[in-house]
Amino acid sequence: MTAVRSESAESAETATGAAPAPLRFPPGFIWGAATAAYQIEGAAAEDGRTPSIWDTFSHTPGRVLNGDTGDIAADHYHRFRDDVALMSGLHLGAYRFSVSWSRVQPTGRGPAVQRGLDFYRQLVDELLGRGITPVATLYHWDLPQELENVGGWTVRDTAERFAEYAGIVGGALGDRVPYFTTLNEPWCSAFLGYGSGVHAPGRTDPEAALKAAHHLNLAHGRAVGALRATLPAAAQTSITLNLHQIRPLSATPADLDAARRIDAVGNRVFLDPILSGNYPADLLADTAHLVDWEALVRDGDLAEISRPIDLLGVNYYTPTLVSDGRTHAEGTDLARNDGHGASAYSPWPGSEHVAFHLAPGETTAMRWSVDATGLYDLLMRISREHPELPTMVTENGAAYDDYLSPEGAVNDPQRIAYVHGHLAAVHRALADGADVRGYFLWSLMDNFEWAYGYSKRFGAVYVDFSTQRRIPKRSAHWYAAVARDNVLPDVPEEAGTS
Ligand code: FCB
């Protein structure tokens, strides 16, 4: 990797917050955008696809804002050729998408449905035809409902089912997809899905959440094995984690302990078994009263979970500010929802007393505070703790209250500023030695934002959901110029109209 000049990065950190000189990225740096199957595809009941837990959840009254579902979403299943053409016009070098498990293997077991696989083959061929590198995620939260009916991620067999599915997809796409990611954000699957219940399947049981976390780890490790058995040697395997950049509200022992606990059940519950082959002792102690870890983790599991991967995907949006809720009774309404939706139940088993706070300053439409140094800190942490492991920013972006002007344009300077700040942070991490291979904007286009339905727009491309018209926002044009030039302009708006 070509070294990035550190003087320019240093100077990007001036008191004004603006980068005074354009920041050039290393040759070969990957510029992409990301989506997920349930959030964009629609065609929920076509070509043999069966319901996933998100179909069931979104069709359950009260679960998703305004009763929105992914039945149609951005209709990408029918419009993928146009969408790939759009990506090409935006100079994207790579596209991160996810495969819908129940489209490929409707019951979560047994033979694959060829029509389901064909959709992804055609998508990949279309991407390759336009010189866009496909990056495939096997699981972005949409477990086949049939598997949930027999226990979902709380049972071990689901890890085995996932490995089988990984082998199927690896066999079908491995000849043309150079990057495979096993799971997207297993923290959300385990702790929002089975802990706070704001995500599918909507369960609220701390023991179930911890079991799910272990079985997701096992699923990842076994899937890496299944992929390795089918993929060409050059293909890269990875997992994407939504690592929490945790900041204690104060330096009191109680607040520092809150930060340690959330690091354990938010980050190290995945990082340690996957990258080091063990569960952190403090996590086991914090949660010993909730789950029987000895029965849960069987001989050989950790060896499977820690199969080598080529790359770590990092998703980052906002830092996590915590305190001991028993000593700071003023903990905000974020205390229990982690910004993904409100619940009376905590997604932090064993650390339910920790309170979450909103940092002062700017926020996005999600009420997530804008703080690019969190991304820098995370990338540097991984680089320090695992110097041999390259990272890729597989998601970063922001929701704002975008609207289509009467002239038919979407002007989103806040998103440009957000992405500019975070790209400057990536550049600074590169300059300081982190091996970051690429950056994927979340998201290519507006989509179904889980419990928030269509009310939150994260896209670079605006979607008019009543007509399915796509309108690139100003930020899309701006990002296209950055991707084309491999250079971040010194001030956010400069590349805006190219
Ligand atoms: C991440 C998810 C992604 C999207 C963004 C905003 O946690 O992976 O699907 O919802 O948040």
Side-chain angles (χ1 to χ4, degrees):
M1 190 181 70
T2 310
V4 174
R5 284 195 324 120
S6 74
E7 314 86 79
S8 62
E10 286 291 311
S11 53
E13 292 292 300
T14 58
T16 64
L23 302 176
R24 180 164 297 283
F25 281 70
F29 188 82
I30 297 169
W31 295 98
T35 63
Y38 190 68
Q39 295 181 275
I40 64 163
E41 283 181 4
E46 281 179 49
D47 292 339
R49 183 184 180 280
T50 58
S52 74
I53 54 175
W54 267 99
D55 294 89
T56 308
F57 191 75
S58 65
H59 280 270
T60 306
R63 291 303 205 172
V64 174
L65 201 62
N66 303 320
D68 290 343
T69 74
D71 287 0
I72 299 171
D75 197 31
H76 172 75
Y77 189 75
H78 299 117
R79 296 167 192 264
F80 71 95
R81 290 186 206 282
D82 291 345
D83 289 338
V84 173
L86 193 60
M87 294 177 214
S88 171
L90 295 174
H91 306 300
L92 295 186
Y95 173 55
R96 174 178 181 253
F97 63 95
S98 82
V99 176
S100 157
W101 187 346
S102 66
R103 204 182 275 299
V104 165
Q105 221 188 1
T107 60
R109 61 184 80 235
V113 168
Q114 287 308 316
R115 282 168 303 173
L117 284 174
D118 284 346
F119 168 69
Y120 297 104
R121 285 199 193 98
Q122 288 164 11
L123 170 64
V124 165
D125 287 347
E126 199 73 19
L127 290 164
L128 293 173
R130 292 191 181 263
I132 300 169
T133 302
V135 177
T137 299
L138 296 177
Y139 185 76
H140 200 123
W141 306 351
D142 43 0
L143 187 73
Q145 182 61 43
E146 293 229 11
L147 292 184
E148 180 58 30
N149 295 347
V150 289
W153 288 112
T154 69
V155 299
R156 244 179 116 78
D157 184 56
T158 302
E160 198 42 49
R161 301 278 62 78
F162 184 67
E164 185 182 284
Y165 158 69
I168 290 171
V169 179
L173 303 181
D175 60 338
R176 54 198 108 173
V177 172
Y179 296 95
F180 279 88
T181 302
T182 55
L183 305 172
N184 176 73
E185 302 191 354
W187 184 85
C188 294
S189 299
F191 298 106
L192 300 181
Y194 296 85
S196 67
V198 299
H199 279 186
R203 292 179 55 183
T204 52
D205 172 357
E207 180 183 13
L210 290 163
K211 285 183 169 172
H214 178 62
H215 295 141
L216 283 153
N217 278 330
L218 191 59
H220 157 76
R222 291 186 174 177
V224 169
L227 287 171
R228 273 285 150 244
T230 54
L231 298 183
Q236 305 217 356
T237 60
S238 62
I239 185 168
T240 279
L241 301 177
N242 56 316
L243 295 174
H244 301 79
Q245 181 54 37
I246 297 153
R247 305 207 167 123
L249 192 62
S250 81
T252 61
D255 286 355
L256 293 177
D257 190 62
R260 174 198 62 72
R261 285 170 166 274
I262 299 306
D263 187 47
V265 70
N267 297 329
R268 289 181 283 118
V269 61
F270 300 108
L271 285 174
D272 286 14
I274 291 169
L275 300 179
S276 309
N278 54 59
Y279 277 106
D282 59 336
L283 171 76
L284 302 185
D286 292 346
T287 56
H289 59 295
L290 295 172
V291 74
D292 180 352
W293 282 99
E294 279 198 21
L296 182 61
V297 183
R298 301 203 186 149
D299 282 352
D301 282 5
L302 286 160
E304 285 197 271
I305 294 170
S306 59
R307 284 205 171 94
I309 52 174
D310 302 295
L311 198 73
L312 180 69
V314 175
N315 289 357
Y316 173 83
Y317 291 90
T318 188
T320 304
L321 183 59
V322 302
S323 71
D324 183 326
R326 295 167 300 202
T327 51
H328 294 277
E330 78 284 9
T332 69
D333 61 337
L334 293 181
R336 294 190 175 278
N337 72 17
D338 192 53
H340 289 86
S343 166
Y345 299 89
S346 167
W348 310 101
S351 295
E352 290 84 356
H353 64 279
V354 173
F356 292 75
H357 304 262
L358 189 60
E362 207 189 321
T363 57
T364 69
M366 300 293 283
R367 285 190 73 220
W368 294 350
S369 69
V370 177
D371 183 346
T373 59
L375 178 56
Y376 170 82
D377 292 342
L378 270 184
L379 294 172
M380 293 311 293
R381 172 185 179 173
I382 298 300
S383 168
R384 212 171 35 246
E385 294 178 2
H386 301 280
E388 303 309 319
L389 184 68
T391 52
M392 188 118 97
V393 179
T394 39
E395 285 181 28
N396 174 244
Y400 288 105
D401 295 326
D402 305 314
Y403 63 91
L404 193 56
S405 76
E407 296 75 40
V410 181
N411 190 15
D412 56 344
Q414 290 172 300
R415 183 173 289 103
I416 295 177
Y418 178 99
V419 176
H420 185 275
H422 287 75
L423 283 173
V426 171
H427 192 277
R428 184 155 76 98
L430 281 161
D432 290 346
D435 186 2
V436 191
R437 299 289 171 90
Y439 175 93
F440 289 73
L441 185 64
W442 184 272
S443 174
L444 172 67
M445 55 185 159
D446 295 338
N447 58 47
F448 175 82
E449 178 46 37
W450 309 113
Y452 293 91
Y454 297 100
S455 70
K456 302 293 179 206
R457 293 180 176 273
F458 273 92
V461 174
Y462 184 90
V463 177
D464 177 343
F465 290 103
S466 63
T467 61
Q468 294 296 346
R469 220 178 114 216
R470 275 73 162 138
I471 301 117
K473 302 175 191 176
R474 186 178 167 87
S475 61
H477 297 296
W478 177 86
Y479 186 64
V482 175
R484 180 196 60 207
D485 300 342
N486 204 29
V487 170
L488 185 67
D490 51 359
V491 287
E493 284 292 339
E494 207 158 79
T497 50
S498 56

